Amino acid sequence: MRQNVSVSHPAVKPDRVRPHDAIDLAHNWFVAGRRIDAQQLARELGIGRATLYRWWGSREIIHGEVIWRIIADGIAQVESRGRGSGEARFLGNFRRLANAVRTNVAIAAFVSDDPEYALRILTTRDSVVQGRLIEWTENWLKRIPGIAERDDVHDLAYAIYRVSEAFIWSDMITGEPPQAETATAMVELLLAGARHTAGGAAT
């Protein structure tokens, strides 16, 4: 169960609070194991809950932004350590990122506490996490010879994410342990198939 840990936040005058301040504070709570409650978040920031929802829409979106910040930090780290280029580098980055996300203490606690809610944040079509990871994947595909020439790169990026998430989050979906290595192997198979049919339009 996630702990209700008190996390201090620099005092911000209500008339100076900005949308990113809400995500900063929510992120601090999340990594400390504290539940993100919209009413408490608004109260500590000195704003109304209506203002918080006007900025971010819902608690789910706030959670998505917080988790995306963790994933984005992971992307920066794995890409700074990556070597080589093209497909090999993408696969290496993908594998390291999958492992980093699944071993992140705060994300693991969040997933364990409420798997059904966590799946909505991490894998649904409206999730900021899913959309941005698909975009990250698509940007990489556009740099891989034999793949970049395809006219369905976005669809391929979407397929890669949906297939891989079934293995990365398998503990929540099927009860099996997370399988980052298997997810990476499936991505490699998808890329091999895409190269084989490079130049053809998606049907």
Side-chain angles (χ1 to χ4, degrees), residues 126-144:
D126 296 330
S127 165
V128 299
V129 175
Q130 182 186 95
R132 291 171 189 170
L133 279 171
I134 291 172
E135 182 180 5
W136 175 72
T137 302
E138 183 177 357
N139 288 338
W140 263 103
L141 297 182
K142 290 177 178 179
R143 295 152 60 186
I144 299 175

Side-chain angles (χ1 to χ4, degrees), residues 75-97 136 140-141 143-145 184 191:
I75 288 174
Q77 292 178 22
V78 301
E79 293 199 336
S80 69
R81 297 196 301 266
R83 297 291 180 269
S85 61
E87 182 176 333
R89 184 165 184 175
F90 168 64
L91 288 171
N93 289 345
F94 181 93
R95 181 178 60 255
R96 286 189 292 272
L97 180 63
W136 175 72
W140 263 103
L141 297 182
R143 295 152 60 186
I144 299 175
T184 306
L191 292 179

